[in-house]
Amino acid sequence: MAGCPSGGGMFLLCHLAAGIVLGLILAGAVGGRRAVVAACALGAILPDLVDKPLGYIILADSVGYGRIYTHTLLFLVLALGVGLLVFWRFRSPIVLAGATGVASHQALDTMWLYPANWLYPFLGSFTAGAESRDLWSLLITELSEPSEWILFAALFIATLLLLKKEFRTALFERTGPLLEKVRLPLGGVLILLAGIMILSGVLALHLIPTGLEKPGDLVLCGLVLGGAGLAILQAHRLRIDSA
């Protein structure tokens, strides 16, 4: 369940990948804490996890679309404010990392292109322009999107590579070495695909099959794919402690 291509924005795993990459960057800056990566990843998919069921199921008759409350600038400002307060008071970056994830979600969905929704409630009620398809068709679009399956494979392998060595050895005594060998070619392929997607967006071409129709969406998704590829290539350096 994620933003539909016709209305702009990314798919769920693209948001998740962006959150993980940002979380790894933040974790490196604050001493390498797994909770920071988890919080940023959760924040990156939180708007869809909240707004899609809310808009399409609970408020289906009155709203009927899925970019509402947690896709607003007001929600982002409140999340950042709470994050800064918690960081100032308790020196914990967890909430701030989650808010960073939310910011990445709204950026990838280019919410500023839908000011009535992004600036709600200051410009009146929500409009359906940002996304007006039903939940089922969005789910089918999600499952049929090639970049989502590529990102799923990348995220799965990256997760295994980021496990602490003793856990990875215990769980994957035979496949662990193979995962290490897969890291370089997989990262390279992702970066290559990222370059093709970015080129497709810049030149307004469709060089690979994708459900993303807008050139800007292709560029954004390409950047996320590239970030995931770099994260996998650097997995041996990006492993973070369990603190």
Side-chain angles (χ1 to χ4, degrees):
M1 297 177 289
C4 70
S6 61
M10 295 294 111
F11 297 92
L12 187 64
L13 289 182
C14 191
H15 286 301
L16 181 60
I20 290 174
V21 171
L22 281 175
L24 289 170
I25 295 172
L26 289 175
V30 298
R33 301 174 60 179
R34 293 179 184 274
V36 170
V37 180
C40 195
L42 178 60
I45 59 175
L46 181 65
D48 279 347
L49 294 181
V50 173
D51 283 350
K52 292 296 188 291
L54 185 63
Y56 284 117
I57 300 174
I58 299 175
L59 301 177
D61 293 335
S62 58
V63 177
Y65 52 94
R67 293 188 191 169
I68 45 179
Y69 301 109
T70 58
H71 282 74
T72 63
L73 181 61
L74 178 61
F75 178 80
L76 175 58
V77 170
L78 289 175
L80 288 172
V82 173
L84 288 171
L85 181 62
V86 170
F87 183 76
W88 172 76
R89 180 67 178 82
F90 302 103
R91 311 310 296 178
S92 171
I94 304 303
V95 179
L96 193 58
T100 302
V102 172
S104 75
H105 186 109
Q106 294 191 12
L108 288 176
D109 274 0
T110 58
M111 287 305 301
W112 56 87
L113 298 179
Y114 315 99
N117 289 8
W118 195 45
L119 300 178
Y120 175 87
F122 305 107
L123 298 181
S125 60
F126 292 115
T127 63
E131 189 178 63
S132 57
R133 301 169 66 185
D134 62 89
L135 184 60
W136 176 250
S137 65
L138 287 171
L139 179 60
I140 295 300
T141 301
E142 178 93 30
L143 294 175
S144 63
E145 170 55 36
S147 65
E148 285 293 87
W149 292 102
I150 294 170
L151 281 168
F152 174 78
L155 291 173
F156 178 73
I157 293 176
T159 299
L160 299 182
L161 289 171
L162 288 170
L163 288 173
K164 295 185 71 173
K165 184 176 180 179
E166 55 267 29
F167 293 131
R168 192 171 69 252
T169 301
L171 291 173
F172 309 102
E173 290 183 353
R174 295 182 179 179
T175 59
L178 176 62
L179 290 173
E180 292 287 358
K181 293 179 181 179
V182 167
R183 175 174 59 84
L184 289 176
L186 177 62
V189 168
L190 286 177
I191 292 174
L192 177 61
L193 288 174
I196 294 174
M197 291 191 73
I198 293 172
L199 186 63
S200 296
V202 172
L203 300 180
L205 301 172
H206 287 280
L207 301 177
I208 57 176
T210 175
L212 300 169
E213 297 178 356
K214 292 188 175 182
D217 289 344
L218 285 168
V219 172
L220 288 173
C221 191
L223 291 173
V224 173
L225 275 174
L230 288 173
I232 290 176
L233 288 177
Q234 299 297 318
H236 62 296
R237 297 180 182 177
L238 290 173
R239 288 198 193 103
I240 49 182
D241 57 46
S242 58

